[in-house]
Amino acid sequence: MTEATIVVGAETTAPPGAGPEGARSLASDAWRSLKKNPIFWVSTALIVLFVLMAIWPSLFTNVDPNAAVLKEARARPSSSAWFGRDIQGYDIYSRTIYGARASILVGVFTSVATVIIGGVMGVLAGYYGGWIDSLVSRVTDIFFAIPLLLGGILFMATFPNDVNSPYLLVVGKVVLVLAIFGWPSLARLMRSSVLQVKPNDYVQAARALGASPWRIIRAHVLPNAVAPMIVVATINLGVFIAVEATLSFLGIGLTPPAVSWGVAISDAIVALRTTPHILLFPSLFLSLTVLAFIMLGDAVRDAFDPKSR
Amino acid sequence: MAEAILTAKDLVKHYPIKGGVLRRTVGHVKAVDGVSFELLKGETLGIVGESGCGKSTLGRLLMRLEEPTSGSVVFDGVDMYAQRGRAMRKLRRDIQIVFQDPYTSLNPRKTVGDIVGEPFDIHPDVVPRKGRRKAVQDLLDLVGLNPEHINRYPHQFSGGQRQRIGIARGIALNPKVLICDEPVSALDVSVQAQVVNLMEKLQDELGLSYVFIAHDLSVVRHISDRVGVMYLGKMAELGEEDDIYGRPTHPYTQALLSAVPVPDPTLRDKREQIVLKGDVPSPANPPSGCRFHTRCFKAQEKCSVEIPLLEIRPDGAGGHLSACHFAAPREIIETVDLTDTPQATTFDSGLRDDSSLEPVGDGTQDS
Amino acid sequence: MTTTTDSRAAERAQRTADSRYIPQAGLLLEVDDLHVEFRTADGVAKAINGVSFNLNQGETLAILGESGSGKSVTAQAIMGILDMPPAVIPKGQIRYCGQDLLTMPDDQRRRTRGPEVSMVFQDALSSLNPVFPVGWQIAEMFRVHRRMNKSDAMERAVRLMQRVQIPAAKERVKAYPHQFSGGMRQRIMIAMAIALDPAVLIADEPTTALDVTVQAQIMALLQELQEERQMGLILITHDLGVVADVADKIAVMYAGRIVERADVYELYRQPAHPYTKGLLESIPRLDQKGQQLAAIGGLPPNLMRIPPGCAFHPRCKYAQDVCREDRPPLREVVPGRESACHFAEEVLHG
């Protein structure tokens, strides 16, 4: 107790930092520390790889993912099919590559949508306060009470796909439901960081100069408040991919003939005991993607947090 | 006598205190409670008081960063709180502010050029787009910084240098009035003098009027022509610098002056100190009558009932405004007048920041 | 109260005898050639570069300096509350009653904090634990160090609160820190610091966060307690006014070194170092009007790149070539006055 009280009051002795010459913004400082972080490079490399798979799967394979060779169903990995074949005789390697597209599409679009909705709501609530704040806060409270996955299941079960739904419509539906249930956490985060930035004297100085609210938000509030939201959105991207896979696994997200990791995992369960490799590869890719985004988010957060340096 | 450029009349600012489940207003913090004064052209009006006296709220009211509960501010014949939109924006050019904390007053993600140039972005008709870079560099030069540092970021500067940047932004639109809210209190002693001297120089060159809000009575005496002393949201005493420091008539001013340590050990035992009892009461529930009566050594029954008006009361050499029923002059400090004495000093006035070529150390106080 | 004080003094004398070191009469603390560095990713910041001073019983030593001068680091090094790492003490001794605190085993040293050397911090609000009543926090000192039972400790806490002039101490002993004003909280901090009757009290900017009327009360209280208990008081501050009011001796620090040391009257009358002189010329005085402020140009040096020679030379009007090359040692200029300047005589007499 004695020790604690004495030490708590001690000045945190930060020696004055050396300022190297030339212009250096906070962003470039963050970049400098990111560059030194191996986790950042590993996660970036993985993400680039997965994004490439999503855009040009033909770069990685020339096997048609929908070409079933039934007589070779459940084949183990070999030189003709690197990851083996699944119960329908599809080439697992090819289907895993093509499956990236659904995951990345869902992840990216959902994240962008949640950032836009959550960001706008958070800024409005934080900056203007008053009844807007009360309204947004109550709405986010309500959404917080419903877990993301449960919300997804309810929504997708209420509006099921049929076999003829176009691919993009199905993806769009998953994005829509995840965005609806995903934005409140970002709105809440944005609101609190806006509340932290708003009382700063540079915001007051801009008001004193007669700047419009739009200008103050754009030039002063957003640049200083957006970092935590970007970090969480990056981590959420991984979470959304996992939820999409879960929904697909349950048969209510993407459904065959769409190719996706979730669908592949779902199909593989049947043969789990005899041919586990069918499950292994799509799960491995799914885990790596989710992990890559979460690691990237962590690395970026550390870089922007001066205390961790 | 010079004419008034800014007139505050019966300014009141009450903040509601919300309580209970329904967030109903259960009371008011009376931050500023009926303050009136005039700021004359080209003068410096110092506002002193301890924390919680409402001096910072007063500054924000004068800037219209807050809307008053009641009262008015008239600038150059124009009622500030009646202005809207374009007219208010135009008015803002004439009244600007310098903040206390050199760390939070500059946007960390903007370069110095962006920060000092922002006034020109908001008021594009002041300087044509092409001339802005030049205008910003001229401003940096004027406040004693290296104009080549236009592309640097605030965290590459020391506290004193940042305060110069804040001043450059404040004077960019060529205002007539500058509200200075504790502009030097976060700075180290040796850097503080640099900034005070800079502000005096700028006042002479640009014909500015200052409202100088501070808690440091020595700095206020040095820079001010007239001084107002605030206590719990009200003006206790207001007068010429000589009146307030040489012939204070309000007991609070007297106590305040007697408590300031003077950097001269030989005065140690000669100074008599008026020790006030107790703490400053809460502005949510200020005492009745004279707000100072709970701590006053002169208080009588009348003081707890009747609010003393801020009016001219004799001070032994004429009179000045004081809000005490029993106002009487009392010399607390012996003033040495150095106005016409040549002062040999070891160091110059520090108007230019020589070290701005390379930021070293950190000009703010140890905490 | 008196009996306790006596027994403490006896105990202290006993310990001193045990260590076979007989200090000069009244000499409590000797800091000898102390160095402190902060080793960080960006480089080594040399916060203290050879500081030596003595503190006697009943004496008030003011350490004056601006930010980065090393004054607070000195205090923390004496208290042993520096975060190590990043701080490193490569050299130097801090002797309390003849025993070097730096080489002492950790648990032994911890036992000196409170009963021997104690400290008052600037920010009382963050130094008090917000979730415990103040009386409980003071009583804890007695329970931990003196193994007193709860009710005795509480009673002592109330007495201490009365001693530091907290009105209605009996009723307020159960109040929480946030229920007190800034001045009252600082009084509680002082009560905790003197609870175990230390021989040395370090006050690090004890009044900086307080209003001027409260500041005067707190300084008066500190002085009174110091005289009553004959403590050695180290006052760390940047405020030349406070120093002039209470100190006996003064040490001025710049860039981690003591640049001038003197009796407080002598120093204010006629400084012997250009930095001290500049400081005195740069502060506005309440009792002067029409004064010209002479600011010291530039800034204190970056502790990672302290200039060679005299650290003050880039800002100094007296600087000559010799100042850029040779670092002037702290030397006696006239009896009782020390200055670390090649031109100390000129500064003193010119």
Side-chain angles (χ1 to χ4, degrees):
Chain A
M1 178 63 223
T2 325
E3 290 307 306
T5 46
I6 289 174
V7 175
V8 166
E11 169 188 354
T12 38
T13 331
E21 300 312 306
R24 256 178 54 193
S25 66
L26 282 181
S28 70
D29 261 358
W31 172 236
R32 250 164 35 104
S33 86
L34 264 186
K35 273 197 298 194
K36 286 188 271 177
N37 188 346
I39 290 184
F40 168 73
W41 289 113
V42 171
S43 56
T44 307
L46 281 172
I47 289 169
V48 167
L49 192 71
F50 291 127
V51 169
L52 279 179
M53 278 181 201
I55 302 174
W56 294 293
S58 51
L59 279 180
F60 297 85
T61 175
N62 46 24
V63 179
D64 179 0
N66 292 318
V69 185
L70 260 178
K71 64 175 178 178
E72 286 179 32
R74 302 188 179 208
R76 296 194 178 273
S78 66
S79 58
S80 64
W82 292 354
F83 291 179
R85 290 180 183 276
D86 68 6
I87 47 172
Q88 308 270 15
Y90 292 126
D91 181 286
I92 295 178
Y93 175 69
S94 172
R95 281 184 85 83
T96 308
I97 297 292
Y98 276 86
R101 179 172 291 173
S103 297
I104 298 288
L105 275 181
V106 168
V108 170
F109 280 118
T110 314
S111 278
V112 169
T114 52
V115 162
I116 293 173
I117 305 171
V120 170
M121 291 298 186
V123 168
L124 289 179
Y127 189 79
Y128 288 100
W131 66 267
I132 304 182
D133 187 20
S134 309
L135 185 69
V136 171
S137 299
R138 292 299 84 76
V139 172
T140 57
D141 285 349
I142 292 167
F143 276 97
F144 256 110
I146 309 168
L148 181 61
L149 189 57
L150 181 64
I153 292 171
L154 286 176
F155 184 91
M156 296 307 285
T158 318
F159 306 100
N161 304 322
D162 67 78
V163 187
N164 299 320
S165 304
Y167 180 71
L168 281 180
L169 179 75
V170 179
V171 170
K173 248 163 79 179
V174 176
V175 169
L176 180 70
V177 64
L178 293 185
I180 287 175
F181 289 97
W183 71 267
S185 66
L186 290 188
R188 189 175 265 211
L189 186 69
M190 195 63 190
R191 172 179 173 272
S192 73
S193 43
V194 168
L195 284 180
Q196 263 172 30
V197 171
K198 202 179 145 195
N200 273 318
D201 284 344
Y202 57 80
V203 176
Q204 302 302 329
R207 282 183 62 203
L209 284 166
S212 62
W214 167 235
R215 188 194 158 83
I216 294 174
I217 290 174
R218 184 171 47 85
H220 297 293
V221 176
L222 265 187
N224 286 290
V226 84
M229 184 174 74
I230 296 301
V231 168
V232 172
T234 313
I235 294 173
N236 277 359
L237 208 155
V239 175
F240 292 138
I241 290 176
V243 173
E244 181 275 323
T246 313
L247 289 177
S248 301
F249 171 80
L250 293 173
I252 50 177
L254 300 188
T255 37
V259 184
S260 111
W261 293 335
V263 173
I265 293 170
S266 173
D267 288 349
I269 291 292
V270 195
L272 179 61
R273 271 194 293 172
T274 46
T275 47
H277 69 274
I278 301 179
L279 178 67
L280 174 70
F281 292 104
S283 331
L284 183 71
F285 273 58
L286 176 66
S287 306
L288 278 179
T289 315
V290 173
L291 192 67
F293 279 106
I294 291 177
M295 286 194 316
L296 179 68
D298 270 350
V300 172
R301 166 166 45 206
D302 288 351
F304 272 105
D305 182 4
K307 273 170 284 180
S308 71
R309 262 181 246 155
Chain B
M1 192 166 149
E3 55 181 309
I5 188 158
L6 189 76
T7 310
K9 200 151 193 291
D10 295 324
L11 268 184
V12 175
K13 179 69 188 179
H14 291 182
Y15 294 99
I17 309 168
K18 306 267 185 182
V21 189
L22 297 171
R23 317 289 303 145
R24 271 185 315 192
T25 304
V26 293
H28 285 97
V29 173
K30 292 168 180 142
V32 173
D33 205 12
V35 168
S36 307
F37 61 85
E38 285 184 338
L39 176 70
L40 308 181
K41 251 182 195 145
E43 78 160 350
T44 300
L45 174 68
I47 304 282
V48 286
E50 299 181 285
S51 51
C53 74
K55 57 188 193 298
S56 281
T57 308
L58 178 65
R60 296 169 58 85
L61 286 173
L62 297 177
M63 282 308 299
R64 206 184 175 183
L65 288 172
E66 308 260 7
E67 297 293 321
T69 308
S70 68
S72 69
V73 169
V74 176
F75 172 81
D76 234 358
V78 183
D79 181 357
M80 183 154 79
Y81 299 121
Q83 305 305 308
R84 293 279 171 274
R86 188 181 287 266
M88 185 62 219
R89 266 163 49 108
K90 196 159 181 307
L91 193 57
R92 289 205 181 277
R93 279 195 209 169
D94 289 324
I95 311 177
Q96 274 304 312
I97 188 162
V98 174
F99 290 95
Q100 167 178 11
D101 186 341
Y103 289 87
T104 66
S105 62
L106 307 178
N107 187 339
R109 287 171 204 278
K110 298 268 175 187
T111 64
V112 171
D114 293 336
I115 291 168
V116 178
E118 184 171 28
F120 303 139
D121 289 343
I122 297 170
H123 301 272
D125 47 328
V126 176
V127 177
R129 185 163 282 279
K130 276 186 193 150
R132 285 195 198 157
R133 194 182 159 85
K134 177 78 174 50
V136 169
Q137 288 186 321
D138 288 347
L139 279 167
L140 291 180
D141 193 49
L142 188 63
V143 299
L145 290 171
N146 185 341
E148 283 161 28
H149 288 174
I150 189 163
N151 288 324
R152 292 198 172 186
Y153 288 88
H155 69 125
Q156 293 172 296
F157 292 90
S158 71
Q161 291 168 332
R162 286 183 204 209
Q163 206 55 309
R164 288 174 192 256
I165 297 169
I167 293 173
R169 173 178 60 193
I171 61 174
L173 297 172
N174 221 345
K176 299 196 174 78
V177 173
L178 201 58
I179 313 280
C180 312
D181 187 2
E182 302 263 13
V184 297
S185 56
L187 305 176
D188 258 334
V189 186
S190 69
V191 179
Q192 186 173 312
Q194 296 173 8
V195 175
V196 168
N197 285 343
L198 173 68
M199 294 187 70
E200 289 186 319
K201 181 196 93 160
L202 292 175
Q203 182 167 42
D204 291 346
E205 286 177 9
L206 308 175
L208 291 163
S209 308
Y210 288 150
V211 175
F212 194 96
I213 298 167
H215 68 272
D216 185 328
L217 285 118
S218 310
V219 173
V220 167
R221 167 162 219 185
H222 178 81
I223 200 167
S224 303
D225 302 305
R226 289 191 307 137
V227 178
V229 181
M230 282 185 75
Y231 184 78
L232 269 182
K234 282 196 180 296
M235 200 68 92
E237 192 164 3
L238 179 66
E240 301 282 319
E241 174 232 305
D242 276 344
D243 297 336
I244 301 295
Y245 289 85
R247 301 177 285 279
T249 61
H250 197 287
Y252 177 62
T253 314
Q254 293 165 357
L256 210 53
L257 287 174
S258 80
V260 178
V262 174
D264 187 348
T266 56
L267 299 177
R268 212 182 261 193
D269 303 315
K270 293 186 192 144
R271 285 171 45 216
E272 58 164 336
Q273 223 193 76
I274 305 168
V275 178
L276 293 180
K277 41 190 179 192
D279 287 320
V280 183
S282 159
N285 189 17
S288 61
C290 173
R291 297 199 165 178
F292 187 57
H293 85 258
T294 50
R295 303 174 72 199
C296 185
F297 52 92
K298 273 187 177 172
Q300 296 186 17
E301 203 161 321
K302 183 185 183 187
C303 301
S304 58
V305 186
E306 206 178 308
I307 298 174
L309 295 175
L310 184 68
E311 55 189 27
I312 292 187
R313 300 177 196 257
D315 62 8
H320 65 268
L321 295 170
S322 176
C324 176
H325 293 304
F326 304 102
R330 175 164 168 184
E331 194 185 35
I332 302 291
I333 42 174
E334 247 175 87
T335 303
V336 185
D337 194 342
L338 300 172
T339 316
D340 300 316
T341 355
Q343 292 162 54
T345 51
T346 323
F347 292 88
D348 60 15
S349 55
L351 288 174
R352 178 145 279 284
D353 189 84
D354 310 323
S355 65
S356 68
L357 285 168
E358 190 202 14
V360 281
D362 200 317
T364 45
Q365 286 170 8
D366 273 8
S367 56
Chain C
M1 220 52 193
T2 353
T3 49
T4 348
T5 317
D6 288 348
S7 72
R8 296 297 300 157
E11 203 180 305
R12 203 172 284 133
Q14 181 61 37
R15 202 174 25 248
T16 311
D18 288 348
S19 64
R20 278 168 293 137
Y21 175 91
I22 314 296
Q24 284 170 273
L27 182 60
L28 288 173
L29 192 73
E30 300 158 90
V31 175
D32 194 10
D33 199 25
L34 182 68
H35 288 70
V36 178
E37 296 173 1
F38 288 90
R39 299 196 177 148
T40 65
D42 294 326
V44 178
K46 301 194 163 180
I48 306 182
N49 307 295
V51 161
S52 308
F53 61 84
N54 293 345
L55 180 73
N56 292 318
Q57 214 172 2
E59 180 178 75
T60 302
L61 168 71
I63 299 184
L64 181 86
E66 296 182 280
S67 53
S69 63
K71 59 186 194 301
S72 286
V73 178
T74 307
Q76 289 167 26
I78 297 172
M79 274 307 282
I81 53 170
L82 279 173
D83 284 326
M84 308 219 257
V88 178
I89 302 183
K91 218 175 143 191
Q93 284 194 332
I94 300 170
R95 287 190 298 272
Y96 171 76
C97 288
Q99 282 183 306
D100 187 5
L101 293 174
L102 296 177
T103 52
M104 211 177 249
D106 275 352
D107 58 331
Q108 194 186 343
R109 176 149 201 212
R110 202 159 42 237
R111 281 197 297 272
T112 67
R113 272 175 230 150
E116 317 291 349
V117 185
S118 187
M119 188 157 171
V120 177
F121 297 94
Q122 175 183 347
D123 184 359
L125 185 57
S126 71
S127 309
L128 289 166
N129 191 333
V131 301
F132 292 108
V134 294
W136 188 91
Q137 295 188 48
I138 302 173
E140 188 71 2
M141 306 281 297
F142 297 113
R143 297 184 60 194
V144 170
H145 284 267
R146 297 277 163 78
R147 319 222 170 244
M148 278 188 193
N149 67 35
K150 213 170 170 178
S151 60
D152 287 354
M154 265 309 193
E155 202 191 308
R156 288 287 291 273
V158 172
R159 288 225 302 269
L160 259 177
M161 283 171 71
Q162 284 163 346
R163 179 64 200 88
V164 295
Q165 295 146 27
I166 290 174
K170 260 210 174 81
E171 291 78 53
R172 303 190 75 181
V173 72
K174 291 213 170 70
Y176 289 86
H178 68 92
Q179 294 171 303
F180 290 85
S181 68
M184 287 299 146
R185 279 196 291 262
Q186 195 57 283
R187 285 174 194 273
I188 290 161
M189 282 305 294
I190 292 173
M192 286 178 72
I194 61 161
L196 302 171
D197 205 6
V200 175
L201 181 65
I202 303 171
D204 187 359
E205 305 267 11
T207 59
T208 306
L210 303 174
D211 278 325
V212 60
T213 50
V214 184
Q215 182 176 332
Q217 296 167 10
I218 296 291
M219 281 322 297
L221 174 67
L222 271 176
Q223 257 187 301
E224 202 180 296
L225 289 168
Q226 186 223 7
E227 270 166 40
E228 171 187 302
R229 294 162 186 237
Q230 282 297 298
M231 290 185 290
L233 178 66
I234 299 180
L235 177 70
I236 311 265
T237 183
H238 70 277
D239 190 327
L240 285 147
V242 170
V243 173
D245 254 0
V246 300
D248 301 321
K249 287 198 299 189
I250 173 168
V252 183
M253 283 189 74
Y254 187 81
R257 285 198 170 84
I258 294 180
V259 294
E260 180 167 7
R261 183 160 52 192
D263 167 87
V264 75
Y265 289 92
E266 292 294 313
L267 186 131
Y268 278 81
R269 195 172 56 81
Q270 203 128 61
H273 193 283
Y275 176 62
T276 320
K277 194 165 176 170
L279 275 186
L280 285 168
E281 285 173 5
S282 71
I283 42 166
R285 282 180 59 158
L286 189 69
D287 58 349
Q288 288 180 358
K289 61 175 290 179
Q291 178 196 10
Q292 286 166 18
L293 297 190
I296 306 175
L299 296 165
N302 183 334
L303 296 174
M304 296 195 189
R305 281 172 284 161
I306 297 178
C310 171
F312 187 61
H313 84 253
R315 304 173 75 187
C316 183
K317 290 285 181 277
Y318 292 83
Q320 306 272 333
D321 284 343
V322 60
C323 304
R324 284 176 258 282
E325 288 145 22
D326 286 346
R327 185 167 60 72
L330 188 64
R331 64 192 167 90
E332 193 158 68
V333 187
V334 288
R337 305 216 50 183
E338 288 167 294
S339 165
C341 175
H342 291 301
F343 303 99
E345 284 81 3
E346 277 174 51
V347 181
L348 186 63
H349 303 296

